[in-house]
Amino acid sequence: MASAASVEEPAAAAAAAAETKRGPSGASFIREHLRSLAPYQPILPFEVLSARLGRKPEDIIKLDANENPYGPPPEVAKALGNLKFPYVYPDPESRQLRAALAEDSGLESEYILAGCGADELIDLIMRCVLEPGDKIVDCPPTFTMYEFDASVNGALVIKDVAQIVKVVEQEKPKCIFLTSPNNPDGSIINDEDLLKILDLPILVVLDEAYIEFSSLQTRMSWVKKHDNLIVLRTFSKRAGLAGLRVGYGAFPLSIIEYLWRAKQPYNVSVAAEVSACAALQNPTYLEEVKNLLLQERDRLYDLLKEIPFLKPFPSHSNFILCEVTSGKDAKKIKEDLAKMGVMIRHYDKKELKGYIRISVGKPEHTDALMKGLKALQLSLAPYQPILPFEVLSARLGRKPEDIIKLDANENPYGPPPEVAKALGNLKFPYVYPDPESRQLRAALAEDSGLESEYILAGCGADELIDLIMRCVLEPGDKIVDCPPTFTMYEFDASVNGALVIKDVAQIVKVVEQEKPKCIFLTSPNNPDGSIINDEDLLKILDLPILVVLDEAYIEFSSLQTRMSWVKKHDNLIVLRTFSKRAGLAGLRVGYGAFPLSIIEYLWRAKQPYNVSVAAEVSACAALQNPTYLEEVKNLLLQERDRLYDLLKEIPFLKPFPSHSNFILCEVTSGKDAKKIKEDLAKMGVMIRHYDKKELKGYIRISVGKPEHTDALMKGLKALQL
């Protein structure tokens, strides 16, 4: 009798043999170029959105897919309800639909082919025209389906809208895809430009999905004269049938016969065909809905222009593309609106990174969108401060003295020795400080030559920026910010319910049209180190606007302070700080020069005990040693020049000349600014990186001591290798 062990051993051996004889994985059967294909990212339907957002479908406003919110004519529902033979395969030639389209377009039906949406026809064209390795021309930003289908069909995509003639001559692409009106920017192609492209030896596929919303006439009839033209159309936008999937195209007879051979036989369902035919029976409804959408598009465009962080573009379609400005994040706007039940489209690809697209809806949809955008306008994200030594020490696992801080433009030499002595001899720390900071203001008057009645001190210049806004701005007022610049201006504007206009190129025009209350200028500017000359400043002072000039870094430039100008210009405020000049960033001492007509109101509104006794005695002590301050300044200027020359030797950095105690660098050669910052932090060297639109891909490096520069360069060269 066999033992249990003897029975189990053959079974185990058989299992092991089966394991070793296992065949190739299923993926190995897939065509090689498709194994790395990323799936198309479609827009989600109501049912999925409802589950994700926890809202009923009727409580979701879909402005993300350029759908027609009015839906199809009533004849469609009736036709679908009366569907006679749903159990019979549909007509493979869609004869009824093609006849109706011929009547609608004036083009004979033999030139027309219908499909399961225009998407199917795009893929069908490529399958009939392209061999693997062939090329198409794509004209970004545009409909991403062209690039996707090209990838599916093993074709290469050339993206060049500026040099089409040259590209066709050199690259010999098979076809070019054009969209007019274009998705997502709503632009159009005129007849002259289209004819020039048709003269080239290339198949031109013209997508007219949105043509009803423009002033253009369809070019469907052109296929009778141009053997290299295909025109695509859809019922999704015009007739509100996106869910039924009905597209069609006009093709030259020399091409259409091959598409008939290659297409799936039953590609247009009976539901789709009867719906499209029913929609065409009511052209009055289609025209009325189109006019409603055009009217709402114009209203939406005007309203979007009022949102300070959006720059909408004129559109010839049923959507509006907007550039997201003012440091806002496009994806975050989309996500925040989604929480309110309003869906829009955002882009994160290169050509349109930082843009959103908003479909035109009904008036009530626009109202809900604007309510959401205005709520975001007033929403406040916390300011992102630079971390102190103690926090960095814990995070990096390094002693504070082993960390080199080149991230906050601090003065690494610290204050004069008189400061430590004054702090050690502090007599009355238990008594509230002088609410008028008399001792400090007297010392500043002597230092600057400006009488003390023009001077107000604060807990850093940051407090004074906020105080100015609280005294000047009503909620909804506007300020002008000049990016890239100190982000505290935008933050404090948000705290005070103000709107931010970011436009440094057209200040005069902005002041005339937008009527902002004040403008914030920084000279030298943080983070690029640029300066404002007297001539330009005087031009701005001639405008009807309060000018706040931040001179936090002026000691490191060749400029003279404009503090005394406040005696002649009632619309000028000049801000200064002890953080950079005197190495007192941790003590928080700022001050400003104000016209007498303004300063009296700031005295009324400021916190009474805003400057601590430690801050006041430290600042006064620092001013007692101007020789030390001058020597430290000269050391930093000398090291700035050395640092600049060394940074020019790093192949992935492009440093900019600076009039301050920092240097801004563009990160090049495909390197990532955030990664550089993180890698240097692991070596104990802290720098600043930027991820907002104006400065994405830039880093800022503060000027330190020579040994700090040496450690930085050692780290950068390690990254270089």
Side-chain angles (χ1 to χ4, degrees):
M1 182 176 176
S3 68
S6 66
V7 174
E8 290 172 0
E9 285 170 4
E19 184 71 24
T20 58
K21 290 181 180 179
R22 178 175 291 171
S25 71
S28 67
F29 298 110
I30 301 299
R31 297 170 68 190
E32 189 173 349
H33 79 276
L34 293 179
R35 292 178 204 165
S36 59
L37 179 70
Y40 189 76
Q41 297 297 319
I43 295 295
L44 299 176
F46 268 133
E47 295 75 13
V48 178
L49 288 172
S50 177
R52 289 194 179 182
L53 299 176
R55 291 174 175 266
K56 297 177 182 177
E58 55 268 27
D59 293 334
I60 298 172
I61 296 170
K62 279 187 95 283
L63 304 178
D64 58 347
N66 305 338
E67 296 144 335
N68 185 331
Y70 290 94
E75 286 82 358
V76 170
K78 185 177 179 182
L80 288 172
N82 294 330
L83 206 58
K84 288 185 178 180
F85 306 111
Y87 56 88
V88 175
Y89 283 107
D91 177 6
E93 295 185 23
S94 308
R95 292 173 179 87
Q96 185 182 357
L97 175 56
R98 288 169 53 239
L101 287 169
E103 185 177 348
D104 179 65
S105 66
L107 181 67
E108 296 88 340
S109 63
E110 56 261 40
Y111 291 92
I112 298 172
L113 180 67
C116 180
D119 295 350
E120 186 204 18
L121 297 179
I122 294 167
D123 181 58
L124 179 61
I125 292 164
M126 291 194 189
R127 285 193 291 119
C128 290
V129 171
L130 301 174
E131 300 286 351
D134 279 345
K135 300 171 184 176
I136 73 161
V137 179
D138 195 26
C139 301
T142 193
F143 187 33
T144 53
M145 186 61 72
Y146 311 138
E147 183 176 4
F148 173 76
D149 278 331
S151 298
V152 170
N153 286 281
L156 308 179
V157 179
I158 304 167
K159 298 193 175 191
D160 198 330
V161 69
Q163 303 184 73
I164 291 174
V165 175
K166 184 178 179 182
V167 165
V168 172
E169 289 176 354
Q170 294 182 351
E171 300 289 341
K172 305 292 189 292
K174 275 283 192 76
C175 54
I176 182 171
F177 284 80
L178 305 172
T179 311
S180 182
N182 187 41
N183 173 15
D185 64 6
S187 60
I188 57 176
I189 302 169
N190 61 42
D191 287 356
E192 182 181 0
D193 289 338
L194 181 57
L195 286 169
K196 287 178 183 177
I197 297 172
L198 284 168
D199 281 340
L200 301 173
I202 190 169
L203 176 61
V204 179
V205 183
L206 178 65
D207 191 337
E208 291 187 341
Y210 300 93
I211 195 166
E212 288 82 11
F213 305 105
S214 74
S215 57
L216 296 174
Q217 296 297 310
T218 179
R219 280 89 165 208
M220 285 178 66
S221 64
W222 287 28
V223 302
K224 298 172 76 171
K225 295 180 180 179
H226 298 276
D227 247 20
N228 64 328
L229 174 65
I230 293 171
V231 180
L232 300 180
R233 300 284 296 276
T234 179
F235 279 83
S236 298
K237 322 302 176 184
R238 173 191 186 190
L241 291 177
L244 272 292
R245 310 310 298 131
V246 202
Y248 59 100
F251 300 80
L253 297 181
S254 58
I255 289 178
I256 199 169
E257 65 168 306
Y258 298 101
L259 275 76
W260 276 114
R261 298 180 194 180
K263 86 171 187 73
Q264 293 294 309
Y266 308 115
N267 59 329
V268 180
S269 74
V270 287
E273 184 168 14
V274 300
S275 296
C277 290
L280 291 174
Q281 291 171 14
N282 196 340
T284 303
Y285 176 93
L286 300 181
E287 185 69 15
E288 288 174 352
V289 164
K290 180 192 80 173
N291 290 333
L292 286 172
L293 290 171
L294 293 180
Q295 182 179 332
E296 193 58 23
R297 180 185 72 194
D298 294 342
R299 174 175 173 254
L300 174 62
Y301 177 72
D302 289 338
L303 290 171
L304 290 172
K305 286 194 293 184
E306 298 175 6
I307 302 298
F309 55 83
L310 293 181
K311 179 184 176 183
F313 292 86
S315 173
H316 295 270
S317 196
N318 68 332
F319 52 80
I320 294 175
L321 183 72
C322 299
E323 182 182 3
V324 177
T325 64
S326 305
K328 291 278 191 180
D329 182 79
K331 185 178 181 183
K332 183 74 165 53
I333 291 173
K334 172 198 169 180
E335 292 170 346
D336 288 344
L337 287 174
K339 294 172 186 174
M340 305 175 202
V342 180
M343 310 305 299
I344 64 168
R345 177 80 183 267
H346 93 286
Y347 295 91
D348 57 9
K349 299 296 182 184
K350 182 182 177 186
E351 298 89 2
L352 285 178
K353 190 167 184 67
Y355 285 73
I356 59 174
R357 189 194 66 196
I358 301 170
S359 305
V360 178
K362 297 179 178 179
E364 57 267 32
H365 298 162
T366 300
D367 295 342
L369 168 73
M370 297 309 298
K371 181 179 178 181
L373 288 172
K374 287 177 179 177
L376 297 185
Q377 185 177 318
L378 297 175
S379 65
L380 181 65
Y383 191 75
Q384 297 298 319
I386 296 293
L387 298 177
F389 267 132
E390 294 76 11
V391 178
L392 287 173
S393 177
R395 289 193 179 182
L396 298 176
R398 290 174 175 265
K399 297 177 181 178
E401 56 266 29
D402 294 334
I403 300 172
I404 296 170
K405 279 187 96 280
L406 304 179
D407 58 347
N409 306 338
E410 295 145 334
N411 185 330
Y413 290 95
E418 287 82 357
V419 171
K421 184 177 179 181
L423 287 171
N425 294 330
L426 205 59
K427 288 185 178 179
F428 306 110
Y430 55 90
V431 176
Y432 283 110
D434 177 5
E436 295 185 23
S437 307
R438 292 173 178 86
Q439 184 183 356
L440 175 56
R441 288 170 51 239
L444 287 168
E446 184 178 348
D447 179 66
S448 66
L450 181 68
E451 296 88 338
S452 62
E453 58 261 40
Y454 291 93
I455 298 172
L456 180 67
C459 181
D462 296 350
E463 185 205 19
L464 298 178
I465 294 168
D466 180 57
L467 178 61
I468 292 164
M469 291 195 190
R470 285 193 290 119
C471 289
V472 171
L473 301 174
E474 299 285 352
D477 280 346
K478 300 172 183 176
I479 74 160
V480 179
D481 195 24
C482 301
T485 193
F486 187 34
T487 52
M488 186 61 72
Y489 311 139
E490 182 178 1
F491 173 77
D492 279 331
S494 299
V495 170
N496 287 281
L499 310 180
V500 180
I501 304 167
K502 297 198 173 193
D503 198 331
V504 69
Q506 304 183 75
I507 291 176
V508 174
K509 184 178 179 182
V510 165
V511 171
E512 289 176 352
Q513 295 182 351
E514 301 290 341
K515 306 291 189 293
K517 276 282 190 77
C518 53
I519 182 171
F520 284 80
L521 305 172
T522 311
S523 181
N525 187 40
N526 175 13
D528 65 7
S530 59
I531 58 176
I532 302 168
N533 61 41
D534 287 356
E535 183 181 359
D536 289 338
L537 181 57
L538 286 168
K539 287 178 182 176
I540 297 171
L541 284 168
D542 281 340
L543 301 174
I545 190 170
L546 177 62
V547 179
V548 182
L549 178 64
D550 191 337
E551 290 186 343
Y553 300 92
I554 195 167
E555 287 81 12
F556 305 105
S557 75
S558 58
L559 295 174
Q560 297 297 310
T561 179
R562 280 88 164 208
M563 286 179 65
S564 63
W565 288 27
V566 302
K567 299 173 75 170
K568 295 181 179 179
H569 298 276
D570 245 19
N571 63 329
L572 174 65
I573 293 171
V574 180
L575 300 180
R576 299 285 297 274
T577 177
F578 280 82
S579 298
K580 321 303 176 184
R581 174 190 185 190
L584 291 178
L587 272 293
R588 310 310 299 134
V589 201
Y591 58 101
F594 300 81
L596 297 181
S597 57
I598 290 178
I599 200 169
E600 65 168 304
Y601 299 102
L602 275 77
W603 276 114
R604 299 179 193 180
K606 84 171 188 71
Q607 292 294 311
Y609 307 115
N610 58 329
V611 180
S612 74
V613 288
E616 185 167 14
V617 300
S618 296
C620 290
L623 291 174
Q624 290 170 14
N625 195 341
T627 302
Y628 175 93
L629 300 181
E630 185 69 14
E631 287 174 352
V632 164
K633 180 191 80 172
N634 290 333
L635 286 171
L636 290 172
L637 292 180
Q638 182 179 332
E639 193 59 23
R640 179 185 72 193
D641 295 341
R642 174 175 173 253
L643 174 62
Y644 177 72
D645 289 338
L646 290 170
L647 290 172
K648 287 193 292 184
E649 297 174 7
I650 302 298
F652 55 83
L653 293 182
K654 179 186 175 183
F656 293 86
S658 173
H659 295 269
S660 195
N661 68 334
F662 52 81
I663 294 176
L664 183 71
C665 299
E666 182 182 3
V667 177
T668 63
S669 306
K671 290 277 191 180
D672 182 79
K674 185 178 181 183
K675 183 74 165 51
I676 291 173
K677 173 196 169 181
E678 292 170 346
D679 288 344
L680 287 174
K682 294 173 185 175
M683 305 175 202
V685 180
M686 310 304 299
I687 64 168
R688 177 79 184 268
H689 92 286
Y690 295 91
D691 56 9
K692 297 297 183 183
K693 185 180 177 189
E694 297 91 0
L695 284 179
K696 190 167 183 69
Y698 285 73
I699 59 174
R700 188 195 66 196
I701 302 170
S702 305
V703 178
K705 296 179 179 180
E707 57 267 34
H708 300 163
T709 300
D710 295 341
L712 168 73
M713 296 310 298
K714 181 179 178 181
L716 288 172
K717 287 177 180 177
L719 299 184
Q720 181 179 327
L721 299 174

